[in-house]
Amino acid sequence: MPVVNPEKLVGLQRNANEIRNICILAHVDHGKTSLTDALIATNGIISPKLAGKIRYLDSRPDEQLRGITMESSAISLYFSMLRRSTPEAEAEQKDYLVNLIDSPGHIDFSSEVSTASRLCDGALVLVDAVEGVCSQTVTVLRQTWTEHLQPLLVINKVDRLISEWKMSPGEAYTHLSKLLEQVNAVIGSFFQGERMEEDLQWRERVEERVAAAAAKGLEKIKRNVADAANGTASEDVESIATSSTNGDFEEKDDEDLYFAPEKNNVIFSSAVDGWAFTVRQFASFYEKKLGIKRSILEKVLWGDFYLDPKTKRVLGPKHLKGRALKPMFVQLVLDNIWAVYEATTGGSKGKGDPIMVEKITKSLSVTVPPHILRSRDTRAILTTLFAAWLPLSKAVLVSVIEHLPAPPIAQASRLPALIDASPGAEYVAPAVRNAMVYFKTSTSDPVVAYVSKMVSIPASELPENKRKGGSILSAEEAREMAKKKRAEIAKAQVAIDDRISDDLNSITEAVGSTSINDVDKDDKPEEAQQEDPEHLIGFARLFSGTLSVGDFVYVLPPKFSPANPRLSPEPQRVTVTALYLLMGRGLEVLTSVPAGVIFGIAGLEGHILKSGTLCSQLEGGVNLAGVSMGGQPIVRVALEPLHPSDLGKMIAGMRLLEQSDPCARYEVMESGEHVILTAGELHLERCLKDLRERFARCEIQAGEPIVPYRETIVSAAEM
């Protein structure tokens, strides 16, 4: 794949209708990062052969060692496709910019999911075909519901139904149908809960109006006591009450909320094997072969529809007349995929059938290079064949472009509810509201940006501090970079091994091997670390206007209300010192950013603790920082430095950690203890590692974790 230049991505930022801001959400180990790797490979950033193995957006060494994502990371991708403006028009080549955020799936890092979702307009929700709906799946679906994100369902790891569960295509179809029902049941529960709440509010309003009408009726009766009887009075009250409650409860249609393959909002995939498809792809494939219109095939390829082998007509379940026909999804889709696995990795010895592979490639009109066909690696044949037939990136990105909204459309539907839910919403200036809802991008329009979190970046990794002589490294520089990366991974591995097996022999060896040279080695990294300080970069989304380097904006804290804009602490006015294009492990310098873009911003250090809103005006500004975190930190640990002289370093490091981590909290107890609160054991481990190696850079001792119990039993009367 050709490498896409950052200049091309920057140019695409100006056309908001060709931008898609999406996040990938799922339970832990359901395949988010593997799917992301396959999408990144389309831009030539990594090799397609390494997709799913390199875990490109997992830039931390402990993420690579554990094989899980701990921090949400963003990257901008280029995608080009043929598209018709109307069904009758000719297809035109269009270029798109996809801003993609990969988020963690572990429950300890739910706050990272919360911060990512506010920045996006749509979401890819992954579900493991074997494990099904898990606890975090429900959590991320609820997040898409509350944030009004447009979701796409990706049923991943379908290959496990073949290789692990040894299912037949018919059994797999039944299993996938049940899985789809489980996901839709979760969505249905959110809808029912919302409708029950709205119904309760409607009944309360009706009761208030009835009570008010009854009071008015009684007053009228008292004024006309002379000519009113008891029966007439009650009729007057009832008539007044009835006339004031004519508004019936408005029912809402929930049909568009659910996932259905015939709506093309469901993708079936195997990220590890590099394939994915939608019903629309197979409808296009069989349109000419069966002589049935694609629009009709899209509706009947999923569900209880059958193909008559003689007449080539589509039959419903009532017209089978006792014949044992397979559903069309099994016959036309799953049978073919199962045949590819059998031909490449099946057989008695798992070596496949070369003759069958040749037949399949001819029938599908795909080409597999001869050297791959001669290879003894059956997985290479499998992945190459699927890459030519059902490439994962094409199915996913085409679905993203066609079914997820562009920023102008998304903001018009999402932002009114978010603005109305913000503090002091009735005092938000009409100019600010209109600029956000109607997506105004002029430099004269109000600037509103939401900073979801602060990301800590070493000074050496900032673009302005990197080498200026082009992006190609010399052999010596490449070796040095690889050496540093190996040293980081080895250091993290040693730390984990030491925790697992901390026996007497290892302590004796460590003491015996200590020398003056070791002390010198320890001193050198400290000097190097002091020369490489951490900088905080805001992870942000611009909702209106255009933001440029050197602009002045107000930083609105989470408790800001436009009703009292100058209430203490008064919002601070800051200068934007730098803007960045987020490219996973790297940053690219920008001079200005238009509305609808996810970007990095410098100059906010010391002004934003965790999240905040940037606004070009203080009077009538809007506070978007009231995002609901996935979970509150409950694991409390007391910390102290190994050497008392490092107390100042530790305190500064804990404050920096509190700013850069959306869920960590730092407190000083009345006893003088310095305490850190985290979401769980794994989150605590990551925070301590960051404190020791990045923020405080000193040895720190941690006490026993304390988890407060906040549940109890109360009597029914108290409830």
Side-chain angles (χ1 to χ4, degrees):
M1 295 288 179
V3 179
V4 178
N5 291 326
E7 291 78 11
K8 193 167 192 175
L9 299 175
V10 174
L12 290 172
Q13 290 181 345
R14 302 295 167 185
N15 194 345
N17 290 318
E18 270 69 60
I19 296 176
R20 300 293 184 273
N21 297 316
I22 64 169
C23 53
I24 300 184
L25 310 175
H27 188 76
V28 65
D29 284 335
H30 279 203
K32 297 181 298 299
T33 307
S34 299
L35 178 71
T36 305
D37 274 1
L39 301 182
I40 291 172
T42 62
N43 280 221
I45 298 172
I46 62 174
S47 167
K49 295 179 181 178
L50 296 176
K53 301 173 185 175
I54 196 171
R55 303 177 65 87
Y56 182 78
L57 290 185
D58 287 352
S59 54
R60 295 171 57 100
D62 48 357
E63 288 180 318
Q64 292 285 347
L65 287 170
R66 291 182 177 273
I68 63 171
T69 304
M70 298 184 185
E71 292 182 349
S72 53
S73 304
I75 191 167
S76 296
L77 301 175
Y78 164 80
F79 182 64
S80 180
M81 62 178 284
L82 289 169
R83 202 172 183 199
R84 290 182 173 89
S85 55
T86 60
E88 297 80 18
E90 291 186 6
E92 298 178 358
Q93 194 78 23
K94 287 196 173 183
D95 297 337
Y96 293 91
L97 175 67
V98 179
N99 295 317
L100 174 71
I101 300 179
D102 181 26
S103 62
H106 196 283
I107 191 170
D108 277 12
F109 308 110
S110 296
S111 57
E112 293 280 348
V113 178
S114 304
T115 57
S117 58
R118 178 62 62 96
L119 303 179
C120 298
D121 303 317
L124 292 175
V125 180
L126 270 68
V127 179
D128 191 315
V130 170
E131 295 182 11
V133 176
C134 298
S135 58
Q136 282 299 101
T137 310
V138 178
T139 302
V140 299
L141 284 171
R142 183 179 289 110
Q143 193 70 38
T144 62
W145 180 269
T146 55
E147 290 290 336
H148 305 286
L149 299 181
Q150 183 75 27
L152 275 177
L153 178 65
V154 181
I155 300 179
N156 193 28
K157 301 190 179 183
V158 178
D159 60 289
R160 293 182 66 187
L161 302 179
I162 306 170
S163 58
E164 294 180 20
W165 282 23
K166 309 295 182 185
M167 282 186 171
S168 66
E171 292 170 337
Y173 170 69
T174 304
H175 177 79
L176 293 172
S177 300
K178 291 179 179 177
L179 176 57
L180 197 58
E181 289 175 4
Q182 291 176 4
V183 178
N184 283 332
V186 175
I187 298 292
S189 67
F190 299 154
F191 177 76
Q192 290 298 328
E194 188 178 89
R195 297 304 291 156
M196 289 174 66
E197 185 177 350
E198 290 176 355
D199 179 59
L200 179 62
Q201 293 172 354
W202 177 79
R203 290 178 185 277
E204 289 176 351
R205 289 196 298 269
V206 168
E207 289 175 0
E208 289 174 2
R209 287 199 295 267
V210 168
K216 286 182 181 178
L218 289 174
E219 288 176 6
K220 185 177 181 181
I221 291 166
K222 289 177 181 178
R223 286 196 303 267
N224 303 300
V225 171
D227 55 346
N230 290 335
T232 310
S234 62
E235 287 177 2
D236 289 342
V237 172
E238 287 178 7
S239 62
I240 295 171
T242 305
S243 63
S244 64
T245 58
N246 286 334
D248 294 332
F249 181 64
E250 184 182 351
E251 293 294 341
K252 289 184 181 178
D253 186 15
D254 61 343
E255 184 180 355
D256 294 334
L257 301 176
Y258 300 114
F259 297 108
E262 60 269 23
K263 296 179 183 176
N264 291 295
N265 60 4
V266 179
I267 303 170
F268 302 90
S269 76
S270 169
V272 71
D273 290 337
W275 60 265
F277 68 88
T278 60
V279 164
R280 174 169 290 180
Q281 282 180 267
F282 276 93
S284 302
F285 181 72
Y286 285 111
E287 183 179 15
K288 292 181 180 179
K289 289 190 174 184
L290 299 177
I292 304 173
K293 289 183 179 180
R294 191 184 77 173
S295 57
I296 297 174
L297 278 175
E298 287 179 14
K299 297 176 182 177
V300 299
L301 265 179
W302 178 269
D304 293 332
F305 297 99
Y306 307 85
L307 185 66
D308 191 323
K310 294 181 180 179
T311 62
K312 300 295 182 183
R313 294 183 62 184
V314 178
L315 305 175
K318 295 180 180 179
H319 302 286
L320 286 178
K321 298 179 181 178
R323 288 181 292 177
L325 296 179
K326 297 178 181 178
M328 291 180 67
F329 190 78
V330 175
Q331 182 182 355
L332 302 180
V333 180
L334 295 185
D335 277 352
N336 291 325
I337 291 173
W338 260 244
V340 172
Y341 274 94
E342 181 64 26
T344 53
T345 60
S348 57
K349 296 182 180 179
K351 295 183 179 180
D353 186 352
I355 298 174
M356 184 63 69
V357 170
E358 188 178 352
K359 289 182 180 178
I360 289 173
T361 53
K362 285 182 179 178
S363 65
L364 297 176
S365 302
V366 298
T367 304
V368 179
H371 71 278
I372 298 290
L373 291 172
R374 292 193 298 268
S375 172
R376 294 183 180 181
D377 185 0
T378 56
R379 282 197 56 78
I381 301 173
L382 173 73
T383 54
T384 306
L385 202 159
F386 272 125
W389 179 34
L390 299 172
L392 183 144
S393 56
K394 180 182 177 182
V396 173
L397 291 176
V398 168
S399 297
V400 165
I401 298 301
E402 291 184 345
H403 298 285
L404 297 186
I409 300 170
Q411 290 188 195
S413 60
R414 285 184 67 211
L415 289 189
L418 292 179
I419 295 173
D420 291 340
S422 65
E426 60 273 17
Y427 296 97
V428 174
V432 173
R433 178 186 286 269
N434 292 337
M436 295 174 67
V437 173
Y438 298 112
F439 198 77
K440 297 184 178 180
T441 60
S442 171
T443 53
S444 59
D445 291 315
V447 171
V448 179
Y450 172 65
V451 181
S452 68
K453 67 173 183 174
M454 301 296 288
V455 183
S456 183
I457 306 288
S460 60
E461 294 185 14
L462 294 175
E464 52 265 33
N465 296 333
K466 289 188 176 180
R467 65 195 304 274
K468 303 293 191 291
S471 59
I472 300 175
L473 299 175
S474 66
E476 187 63 33
E477 288 171 330
R479 280 194 293 270
E480 188 64 28
M481 184 179 291
K483 187 177 179 181
K484 287 181 180 178
K485 185 62 71 176
R486 284 196 298 270
E488 287 178 9
I489 295 174
K491 188 176 180 182
Q493 183 67 58
V494 168
I496 290 176
D497 292 343
D498 286 347
R499 283 194 298 272
I500 295 172
S501 57
D502 188 13
D503 55 6
L504 185 61
N505 292 332
S506 63
I507 297 173
T508 307
E509 290 174 8
V511 173
S513 61
T514 303
S515 65
I516 296 173
N517 293 332
D518 291 331
V519 175
D520 292 339
K521 288 177 184 175
D522 289 339
D523 289 342
K524 287 178 182 176
E526 182 140 0
E527 292 174 10
Q529 287 169 348
Q530 289 175 354
E531 295 171 1
D532 192 15
E534 298 281 337
H535 289 270
L536 291 173
I537 304 296
F539 195 36
R541 157 80 182 267
L542 190 63
F543 288 104
S544 66
T546 298
L547 190 63
S548 302
V549 176
D551 285 355
F552 295 98
V553 291
Y554 288 97
V555 178
L556 310 183
K559 294 183 179 179
F560 171 83
S561 173
N564 297 297
R566 300 194 181 275
L567 193 66
S568 181
E570 188 172 337
Q572 298 175 336
R573 192 167 181 252
V574 299
T575 305
V576 178
T577 58
L579 296 169
Y580 301 105
L581 176 70
L582 303 172
M583 292 298 293
R585 301 182 182 186
L587 301 169
E588 297 290 339
V589 176
L590 299 172
T591 55
S592 65
V593 172
V597 172
I598 295 172
F599 64 100
I601 179 171
L604 307 179
E605 195 166 346
H607 301 287
I608 288 183
L609 179 60
K610 293 183 181 296
S611 64
T613 308
L614 305 181
C615 194
S616 56
Q617 63 184 66
L618 189 58
E619 304 292 336
V622 60
N623 178 12
L624 299 174
V627 60
S628 173
M629 293 298 171
Q632 293 298 321
I634 57 170
V635 178
R636 183 189 299 268
V637 180
L639 304 180
E640 63 179 8
L642 187 63
H643 304 290
S645 59
D646 291 332
L647 180 62
K649 281 185 180 181
M650 189 190 78
I651 294 173
M654 291 176 79
R655 285 175 178 159
L656 193 58
L657 173 69
E658 186 181 24
Q659 282 187 285
S660 64
D661 192 306
C663 195
R665 223 168 57 222
Y666 164 54
E667 293 180 357
V668 180
M669 309 301 289
E670 292 181 0
S671 59
E673 280 186 316
H674 298 274
V675 171
I676 187 171
L677 286 87
T678 63
E681 186 180 354
L682 186 59
H683 186 214
L684 170 63
E685 191 176 321
R686 192 194 77 179
C687 290
L688 291 176
K689 177 181 172 64
D690 284 347
L691 268 177
R692 290 174 178 135
E693 297 181 4
R694 295 177 60 191
F695 301 136
R697 295 192 176 109
C698 64
E699 285 301 317
I700 294 173
Q701 293 178 327
E704 289 295 322
I706 300 173
V707 180
Y709 290 94
R710 299 178 180 175
E711 296 180 0
T712 187
I713 300 171
V714 296
S715 63
E718 294 178 12
M719 294 175 66

